[in-house]
Amino acid sequence: MATKTSAEPPASKAAPDAKRRSERSRRAIYEAALSLVSEAGYAKVTIEGIAARAGVGKQTIYRWWSSKAEVLLEAFIDLGEQAAEAAGAEAGAAYAALPDTGDVAADIKLVLRHTVDELLDPKYDAPYRALAAEGVVNRELGEKFVAKLLEPGLQLYVARIESAQRAGQIRADLDPRIAMELFVAPLAQRWLQSSGPLSHAYTDTVVDYALHGLAPRQV
Amino acid sequence: MATKTSAEPPASKAAPDAKRRSERSRRAIYEAALSLVSEAGYAKVTIEGIAARAGVGKQTIYRWWSSKAEVLLEAFIDLGEQAAEAAGAEAGAAYAALPDTGDVAADIKLVLRHTVDELLDPKYDAPYRALAAEGVVNRELGEKFVAKLLEPGLQLYVARIESAQRAGQIRADLDPRIAMELFVAPLAQRWLQSSGPLSHAYTDTVVDYALHGLAPRQV
Amino acid sequence: MATKTSAEPPASKAAPDAKRRSERSRRAIYEAALSLVSEAGYAKVTIEGIAARAGVGKQTIYRWWSSKAEVLLEAFIDLGEQAAEAAGAEAGAAYAALPDTGDVAADIKLVLRHTVDELLDPKYDAPYRALAAEGVVNRELGEKFVAKLLEPGLQLYVARIESAQRAGQIRADLDPRIAMELFVAPLAQRWLQSSGPLSHAYTDTVVDYALHGLAPRQV
Amino acid sequence: MATKTSAEPPASKAAPDAKRRSERSRRAIYEAALSLVSEAGYAKVTIEGIAARAGVGKQTIYRWWSSKAEVLLEAFIDLGEQAAEAAGAEAGAAYAALPDTGDVAADIKLVLRHTVDELLDPKYDAPYRALAAEGVVNRELGEKFVAKLLEPGLQLYVARIESAQRAGQIRADLDPRIAMELFVAPLAQRWLQSSGPLSHAYTDTVVDYALHGLAPRQV
DNA sequence: TCGTAAACGAGACGGTACGTCGCGTCTTTAT
DNA sequence: ATAAAGACGCGACGTACCGTCTCGTTTACGA
């Protein structure tokens, strides 16, 4: 094969050689980033701080990431992957699909309640908010955030809704993605904007309202 | 009629005397802040920059606000108040209530479409996102943001929904606030998280889904 | 005498009316200035600090003095005057002239030793150094410092030397002022520049060397 | 020959690594400091100004010096060293010793006159006074000032006096250091405190008085 | 198996902005 | 009418991080 066969486009600034990347440093940086965000809040985390905590040169961070938001996002994704791997073997199905008991309302309520619990867990709350906030303001990061962290979860709802459509529990002519948003968006808004209390009761109410509609059934 | 008439408790750090405050500086700071955000984006705005543009000492900003987010929030509120005042006399009704033609669906769609247009207007988009993002991460500011900028608008929807409940177009047993969220939150989420396109068509769909429910009418 | 007969040249900026000056404020400012210098050192004293401690508006200071050095200088002069006044009646002679026992060497050594003791007294050392330092760099203040605080003391030496000249103990053809400097300047230098230890022994040595000359008597 | 060969004790605040210090910046800072003092006077020189003129970050100054006085002192010392180096080869003797023609009085007068000329040269006057003043009030700096800038010059006088003692022109039992001070201190005082005119004539007079004593020779 | 080029830790550097302090001026308030 | 109180525009302070740039020092590859 031709020498210097770089599949990558000629990067502007001598792209680093990923093969030589230090796995040790990468892990240390993720851990440092996550722990610092938990301790001090995203705004007070600095790249210098991450480097110091990780025992790593600043350049090693700048070499592989372009901003602290990127670092944290990847750290978070990595965290998810590790959790998934741990859950892995025996309970692989847990993350693969929502339960399908035949009762859409119950199934969705169950999972949404779980999501609400997670959002309220201080361990996730702070760094998750930080990323969400950054994503609001930084389109590129926002899209990665949605694609990598949000979308996989949302797709499970979409799949469950499609299943319900096939079962005749949800109208077949509806766009399942938009249907999903009717369930999920109200929770997201209350969480993001603290515009109201976020509880299991609220979750159930939203699901009921969305399923049965706001208008009276009889005309 | 006991009101909050209280000489406020001794503030922590020698609160400045509001009576001596320079109105001229206050206005200049608002204008500088808004124009800088439009020009450069929130992240690149600095307090030093605002002070320079406003022809004001930095201390004059720090004396009255605690962060650039606060400055911008108040600048925004002030902007709204001025706009309201200008609209004032003749068209006072415009901001006072949603139209009530007797057709809830149409009325709500109309106003939501208008809101969507505003959110997509680059003039509002950037600074509004900036405040929303800051509010996600800074509880105190978030609450002010919601209370001062969001809530007034949302209350109009709530009022319209209550009117529709009286007219029998929306079920009387529903919580109008939660009902409102079914309309509004999906738009908010798409806007904040760029999780999908935001359009008039989408708006209409959301309203229809919410009103008539996701489940089939006949069982 | 004619009213409003201002002997002072028409000051540039509406000279304040000295007759209306608040004696109470003047005293409070002197006391505040001196106590602050003792506590924190000259460099850390600020006009705002003096005003606050004295319970006086800043403008009251700026109206009558042009710098903190001026304030301190006058405060010091005032201190001296008060001390002199206190010593006043009974021991008036103490400050009025050096002792004249007929033995110049002994008389001068006695007083110089006393001066050395004072210079080494921490109570005087700090503010005195501060003024001296400021005077080194600020000609106008330096001249006031010398004229008001140094010169009176130095004149006593000059007078004693002249008396000694009349008594034939010091050569009559010498300039008594320069003679005085031979005694005083070495002490001043050691004090100001910490260029060597300042002691009674040193004092005596300097006086002896100056009186009898460095060159051998016999040629 | 045990010398101070010691890995210095752990400095208080992570001492910077002198091996990596930028020589380029150091020189630029010295030049900027000296030129600014000449142009504007010591009091108006700021660290910010030095940094800007030198094209250097402020931190680079704070990293290596603790105050503008320190910067200026080192700049001055460096200036001296460079001058010495330049004079170096051919005229090395100029700074190495006072002339020794066999006539102490003449030799000392000659050099003192030269010193007086320098002190009155506006090029040296301002920055030198500034350092002297700072040294009066700041013991640590004062000691460096004396040790690095004053002492080397004074030692030359001491050496010349010792030579005169060996030649029988100055009494052998005198402390040569104190003898030196009798010549030098009066000039220093007049210069520092503007307590009288500083001239060649005055210089000569002081030397004569000191050499032959104030008291009459015959008793 | 050994050189060598890279990634690495460390951290100095030129910068920008921070939030604070004090300046000297000007205005308002309360006798 | 006179001060105290203190807000103001301004400029400098000393600090924190930014992102870039050397420095030696590992480290892992390919010759």
Side-chain angles (χ1 to χ4, degrees):
Chain A
M1 308 257 178
T3 51
K4 272 268 176 189
T5 316
S6 57
E8 310 88 63
S12 54
K13 201 71 176 290
D17 181 347
K19 284 178 306 186
R20 297 197 156 201
R21 183 166 184 181
S22 160
E23 182 63 11
R24 199 151 140 329
S25 297
R26 200 172 61 91
R27 299 236 67 85
I29 288 165
Y30 288 159
E31 274 159 36
L34 290 171
S35 67
L36 284 170
V37 169
S38 304
E39 287 168 25
Y42 178 78
K44 288 195 180 157
V45 172
T46 66
I47 294 210
E48 288 200 341
I50 296 173
R53 167 82 58 104
V56 137
K58 281 200 286 177
Q59 201 60 284
T60 301
I61 298 184
Y62 285 111
R63 188 158 23 236
W64 302 108
W65 294 276
S66 60
S67 68
K68 73 169 169 173
E70 290 252 331
V71 175
L72 194 60
L73 176 60
E74 287 199 12
F76 229 76
I77 294 171
D78 178 81
L79 187 66
E81 282 168 7
Q82 278 192 291
E85 216 160 283
E90 74 280 21
Y95 264 79
L98 261 58
D100 192 342
T101 64
D103 180 348
V104 222
D107 291 352
I108 288 182
K109 282 177 185 172
L110 183 72
V111 180
L112 278 181
R113 283 169 174 223
H114 180 65
T115 302
V116 165
D117 290 342
E118 244 178 41
L119 290 178
L120 296 177
D121 178 345
K123 192 172 65 180
Y124 291 87
D125 187 81
Y128 222 75
R129 293 186 101 82
L131 280 172
E134 191 63 28
V136 164
V137 124
N138 174 336
R139 165 152 326 246
E140 197 186 349
L141 187 109
E143 278 163 10
K144 278 190 203 167
F145 175 71
V146 170
K148 301 280 185 154
L149 288 177
L150 251 42
E151 206 55 48
L154 298 179
Q155 280 307 329
L156 303 184
Y157 289 97
V158 171
R160 184 65 189 80
I161 286 170
E162 287 170 339
S163 148
Q165 287 179 311
R166 285 189 297 274
Q169 290 193 318
I170 284 187
R171 279 151 49 199
D173 59 318
L174 301 186
D175 180 331
R177 171 150 203 110
I178 297 179
M180 174 272 282
E181 289 173 357
L182 251 64
F183 296 131
V184 168
L187 304 188
Q189 193 177 29
R190 286 209 166 184
W191 178 62
L192 277 176
Q193 306 199 320
S194 316
S195 56
L198 190 54
S199 64
H200 286 186
Y202 175 70
T203 306
D204 292 353
T205 306
V206 165
V207 173
D208 290 336
Y209 285 16
L211 276 178
H212 305 115
L214 305 174
R217 291 267 141 168
Q218 247 54 306
V219 179
Chain B
M1 305 247 177
T3 49
K4 270 239 168 186
T5 317
S6 66
E8 30 254 53
S12 52
K13 200 67 176 292
D17 181 346
K19 283 174 303 187
R20 299 207 166 162
R21 184 167 183 181
S22 161
E23 182 63 12
R24 201 155 146 322
S25 297
R26 199 172 62 89
R27 299 235 68 85
I29 289 165
Y30 287 158
E31 275 159 35
L34 290 171
S35 67
L36 285 169
V37 169
S38 305
E39 288 167 26
Y42 178 78
K44 287 195 180 157
V45 172
T46 66
I47 293 212
E48 215 149 61
I50 296 173
R53 167 84 55 106
V56 137
K58 278 199 285 179
Q59 200 57 49
T60 299
I61 299 185
Y62 285 111
R63 186 156 27 235
W64 303 109
W65 294 277
S66 58
S67 68
K68 72 170 170 172
E70 290 249 332
V71 175
L72 194 61
L73 176 59
E74 287 198 13
F76 239 85
I77 294 171
D78 179 80
L79 188 65
E81 282 169 6
Q82 279 192 290
E85 218 159 283
E90 74 277 25
Y95 265 79
L98 260 60
D100 191 343
T101 65
D103 180 348
V104 222
D107 291 351
I108 285 182
K109 283 176 185 173
L110 182 73
V111 181
L112 278 181
R113 283 167 172 224
H114 179 66
T115 300
V116 164
D117 290 341
E118 246 179 38
L119 289 178
L120 297 177
D121 177 346
K123 193 173 65 180
Y124 290 88
D125 186 82
Y128 224 76
R129 292 187 103 81
L131 281 173
E134 192 64 28
V136 165
V137 125
N138 173 336
R139 164 149 331 241
E140 197 186 350
L141 188 111
E143 278 163 10
K144 279 191 204 167
F145 175 71
V146 169
K148 300 280 184 155
L149 288 177
L150 251 43
E151 205 56 47
L154 298 179
Q155 279 307 327
L156 304 184
Y157 289 98
V158 170
R160 183 65 189 80
I161 287 169
E162 288 170 338
S163 149
Q165 288 180 309
R166 285 189 296 273
Q169 290 192 319
I170 285 188
R171 280 152 50 200
D173 59 318
L174 302 186
D175 180 332
R177 170 146 205 118
I178 298 179
M180 174 272 283
E181 288 173 355
L182 251 64
F183 296 131
V184 168
L187 305 187
Q189 192 178 29
R190 286 208 167 186
W191 177 63
L192 277 176
Q193 307 201 319
S194 317
S195 56
L198 190 54
S199 64
H200 286 187
Y202 175 70
T203 307
D204 292 352
T205 307
V206 165
V207 173
D208 289 336
Y209 284 18
L211 275 177
H212 305 116
L214 306 175
R217 290 271 142 166
Q218 248 56 302
V219 180
Chain C
M1 309 256 177
T3 51
K4 272 268 178 190
T5 315
S6 58
E8 310 88 63
S12 54
K13 200 70 175 289
D17 181 347
K19 285 177 307 185
R20 300 200 155 187
R21 183 167 184 182
S22 160
E23 183 63 12
R24 195 148 141 335
S25 297
R26 199 171 62 89
R27 300 236 68 86
I29 288 164
Y30 287 159
E31 275 159 35
L34 290 171
S35 66
L36 284 169
V37 168
S38 305
E39 289 168 24
Y42 177 78
K44 287 195 180 157
V45 172
T46 66
I47 294 210
E48 288 201 342
I50 296 173
R53 168 81 58 104
V56 137
K58 280 199 285 178
Q59 201 60 281
T60 302
I61 298 184
Y62 285 111
R63 192 162 15 241
W64 303 107
W65 294 277
S66 60
S67 67
K68 74 169 169 171
E70 290 252 330
V71 174
L72 193 61
L73 176 60
E74 288 199 13
F76 230 76
I77 294 171
D78 178 81
L79 187 66
E81 282 170 7
Q82 278 191 289
E85 215 160 285
E90 75 277 25
Y95 265 80
L98 261 59
D100 192 343
T101 63
D103 179 349
V104 222
D107 292 349
I108 286 183
K109 282 176 185 174
L110 182 72
V111 181
L112 278 181
R113 284 169 172 221
H114 180 65
T115 301
V116 164
D117 290 341
E118 245 177 40
L119 289 178
L120 296 177
D121 177 345
K123 193 172 65 180
Y124 290 88
D125 186 82
Y128 223 74
R129 292 186 103 83
L131 281 172
E134 190 64 28
V136 164
V137 124
N138 174 337
R139 166 152 328 244
E140 196 186 349
L141 188 110
E143 279 164 8
K144 278 190 203 169
F145 174 71
V146 169
K148 300 279 183 157
L149 288 178
L150 252 43
E151 206 56 48
L154 299 179
Q155 278 307 328
L156 304 184
Y157 289 98
V158 171
R160 183 64 189 82
I161 288 170
E162 287 171 337
S163 148
Q165 288 180 309
R166 284 190 295 275
Q169 290 193 319
I170 285 188
R171 281 152 50 200
D173 59 319
L174 302 185
D175 180 333
R177 170 148 204 115
I178 298 179
M180 174 273 283
E181 289 172 356
L182 252 64
F183 296 132
V184 168
L187 305 187
Q189 192 177 29
R190 287 210 165 183
W191 178 64
L192 278 176
Q193 306 199 320
S194 318
S195 56
L198 190 55
S199 64
H200 286 187
Y202 175 70
T203 306
D204 292 353
T205 308
V206 166
V207 173
D208 289 337
Y209 284 17
L211 276 177
H212 305 115
L214 306 174
R217 292 269 142 166
Q218 248 56 305
V219 180
Chain D
M1 303 248 179
T3 48
K4 270 239 166 186
T5 316
S6 64
E8 29 255 53
S12 53
K13 199 67 177 292
D17 182 347
K19 285 175 303 187
R20 297 206 168 165
R21 183 165 184 182
S22 162
E23 183 62 13
R24 200 155 145 323
S25 297
R26 200 171 62 89
R27 300 235 67 84
I29 288 164
Y30 288 158
E31 275 159 35
L34 289 172
S35 68
L36 284 170
V37 168
S38 304
E39 288 167 24
Y42 178 77
K44 288 194 180 158
V45 172
T46 65
I47 293 210
E48 215 149 61
I50 296 172
R53 168 82 57 106
V56 137
K58 277 199 286 179
Q59 201 57 47
T60 299
I61 299 185
Y62 285 111
R63 184 153 32 231
W64 302 109
W65 295 276
S66 59
S67 66
K68 73 170 169 172
E70 290 250 333
V71 174
L72 195 60
L73 176 59
E74 287 198 14
F76 240 84
I77 293 171
D78 178 81
L79 188 65
E81 282 169 6
Q82 279 192 290
E85 217 159 283
E90 74 279 24
Y95 264 80
L98 261 58
D100 192 343
T101 65
D103 179 349
V104 222
D107 291 350
I108 285 182
K109 283 177 186 173
L110 182 72
V111 180
L112 278 180
R113 284 169 172 221
H114 179 65
T115 302
V116 164
D117 290 342
E118 245 179 39
L119 290 178
L120 296 177
D121 178 345
K123 193 173 65 180
Y124 290 88
D125 185 81
Y128 223 74
R129 294 185 101 80
L131 281 173
E134 193 63 29
V136 164
V137 124
N138 173 339
R139 165 150 331 240
E140 197 186 349
L141 187 110
E143 277 162 12
K144 279 191 202 166
F145 174 72
V146 168
K148 301 280 183 151
L149 288 177
L150 252 42
E151 206 56 48
L154 298 179
Q155 280 306 328
L156 303 184
Y157 289 98
V158 170
R160 183 65 189 81
I161 286 169
E162 287 169 339
S163 148
Q165 286 179 311
R166 286 189 294 274
Q169 290 192 317
I170 284 187
R171 282 152 48 200
D173 59 319
L174 301 186
D175 180 331
R177 169 146 205 115
I178 297 179
M180 173 272 284
E181 288 173 355
L182 252 62
F183 296 132
V184 168
L187 304 187
Q189 193 178 28
R190 285 208 167 186
W191 177 64
L192 277 176
Q193 306 200 320
S194 316
S195 57
L198 189 55
S199 64
H200 286 187
Y202 175 70
T203 306
D204 292 353
T205 307
V206 165
V207 174
D208 289 337
Y209 284 19
L211 276 177
H212 305 116
L214 305 174
R217 290 268 141 168
Q218 245 56 307
V219 179

